[in-house]
Amino acid sequence: MKRVHLLFTFLLMMGHLTMISADTYWLDESKKKPCCKGGDKESAAKEFLIKKGTFGENEKVRDLKNSKIYIRDRDNQITEQNITGGTIAFSPIYKGNYHLIFEQKSVRDSVLHVNLSSLRVYNKEGNISKSLLKEIRGKTNDSQYGLEPIAQLPFQIIMERPIRRHHINCCLYSGDIAPFKVYYNGELQKDIPLRVSMESGWNATIQPDQEGVVSFEIPRSTYAATDKDKKRSEKMIVEASYEVNESGTYEGQPYRSVVYGMSMPLSFGASPLEYESKVLGFTTAIGVMLVFSLGLYYNRRKK
């Protein structure tokens, strides 16, 4: 009887985890096909959509009622936009990094759900003459990581500067140590774990350390390189949730508690060290063959 009870408890927990995973909201950029050349690149709008679910099973969220988007630019200025319709779009002016944070509220079963998702976007089509100073300043200050929480958001995941084992600082790669911090009302929370899921199916729950930093080593991508896409990147989602015993009303609907959930989609590639080791091995093999051939040729000439 005890085994049956434990099995039932385990299945219930698995169902709860599946439910959490299926309720995950995450920002994703719409990839537009290039149709033509020329035109004003400065005014090119980027489009985004909201997905709900896992990498394997997800759907586009078309009802964006009671939602808004926060845009954080290179100068750490926050622009707030209400979303109308099912499209999220903005036209970045300068070249460089922008942070988008999606927020949507809804009341279900007397619980206020606040769904959040943060996505870092790099704009490479800005006018270089207008953005050069901001680009240099951003690289100097490393404005990609370790930003202060946005005052408009009560719950937020902040990514700290990664610990790298290579010399490339622009992107994330396998083998990097990715550290995060979770904030509630601007204060660091030291007891909220992170859930990490990847396209390859790798999943983990990471607990924070004594300082409140949640960190993990990005595992090696399991996607094999192809001739058409030799440096394929893999996606992962980092997410956290937090429940507050707080009652009130939203849009005329009463609630007795608030559940915050935030996701942060990220992309990473294969470690540059893999390519360097392959090049070094290939060069070494060629060198050995060359020395052997020269030695053989010298012996024959000597005879």
Side-chain angles (χ1 to χ4, degrees), residues 11 16 44 69 107 154 187 201 213 231 234 244 250 254 282 303:
L11 292 175
H16 180 62
I69 198 84
V107 177
E187 295 185 2
V213 180
K231 295 184 179 181
E234 184 174 347
V244 180
Y250 178 75
F282 179 75
K303 291 179 180 180

Side-chain angles (χ1 to χ4, degrees), residues 70-72 78 99 101 148-154 156 158 186:
Y70 299 93
I71 302 172
R72 188 177 212 162
I78 310 298
H99 290 81
I101 300 97
E148 293 295 325
I150 296 177
Q152 294 91 327
L153 299 177
Q156 193 171 355
I158 300 293

Side-chain angles (χ1 to χ4, degrees), residues 104-120:
Q104 186 178 49
K105 298 179 180 179
S106 63
V107 177
R108 301 193 307 270
D109 299 327
S110 300
V111 177
L112 176 61
H113 294 267
V114 183
N115 298 309
L116 303 159
S117 183
S118 174
L119 179 66
R120 182 174 68 87

Side-chain angles (χ1 to χ4, degrees), residues 152-179:
Q152 294 91 327
L153 299 177
F155 185 69
Q156 193 171 355
I157 301 173
I158 300 293
M159 185 174 183
E160 301 294 302
R161 185 190 299 227
I163 302 173
R164 307 183 187 277
R165 298 180 178 177
H166 46 78
H167 57 277
I168 302 177
N169 294 322
C170 67
C171 312
L172 286 176
Y173 295 98
S174 57
D176 289 348
I177 305 297

Side-chain angles (χ1 to χ4, degrees), residues 76-230:
N76 207 23
Q77 299 297 314
I78 310 298
T79 303
E80 181 179 335
Q81 296 181 4
N82 292 322
I83 301 175
T84 58
T87 304
I88 302 173
F90 85 104
S91 299
I93 300 176
Y94 301 108
K95 179 181 179 181
N97 294 291
Y98 291 80
H99 290 81
L100 272 65
I101 300 97
F102 168 81
E103 179 189 47
Q104 186 178 49
K105 298 179 180 179
S106 63
V107 177
R108 301 193 307 270
D109 299 327
S110 300
V111 177
L112 176 61
H113 294 267
V114 183
N115 298 309
L116 303 159
S117 183
S118 174
L119 179 66
R120 182 174 68 87
V121 180
Y122 183 79
N123 178 41
K124 59 182 180 180
E125 297 179 344
N127 189 316
I128 188 63
S129 63
K130 295 182 180 180
S131 59
L132 181 60
L133 181 60
K134 294 178 182 293
E135 184 78 2
I136 295 174
R137 186 192 311 160
K139 289 183 178 179
T140 303
N141 297 335
D142 196 11
S143 61
Q144 299 182 33
Y145 309 108
L147 301 175
E148 293 295 325
I150 296 177
Q152 294 91 327
L153 299 177
F155 185 69
Q156 193 171 355
I157 301 173
I158 300 293
M159 185 174 183
E160 301 294 302
R161 185 190 299 227
I163 302 173
R164 307 183 187 277
R165 298 180 178 177
H166 46 78
H167 57 277
I168 302 177
N169 294 322
C170 67
C171 312
L172 286 176
Y173 295 98
S174 57
D176 289 348
I177 305 297
F180 301 85
K181 291 181 179 179
V182 181
Y183 292 86
Y184 175 67
N185 285 337
E187 295 185 2
L188 176 64
Q189 303 298 304
K190 298 184 178 181
D191 57 351
I192 299 179
L194 289 182
R195 298 184 299 274
V196 185
S197 57
M198 299 186 178
E199 281 185 296
S200 60
W202 186 86
N203 296 275
T205 299
I206 315 296
Q207 300 293 333
D209 60 15
Q210 294 181 352
E211 302 298 325
V213 180
V214 187
S215 60
F216 62 94
E217 180 178 334
I218 301 176
R220 182 177 179 180
S221 175
T222 56
Y223 287 98
T226 63
D227 294 335
K228 295 182 179 180
D229 192 5
K230 294 183 179 181

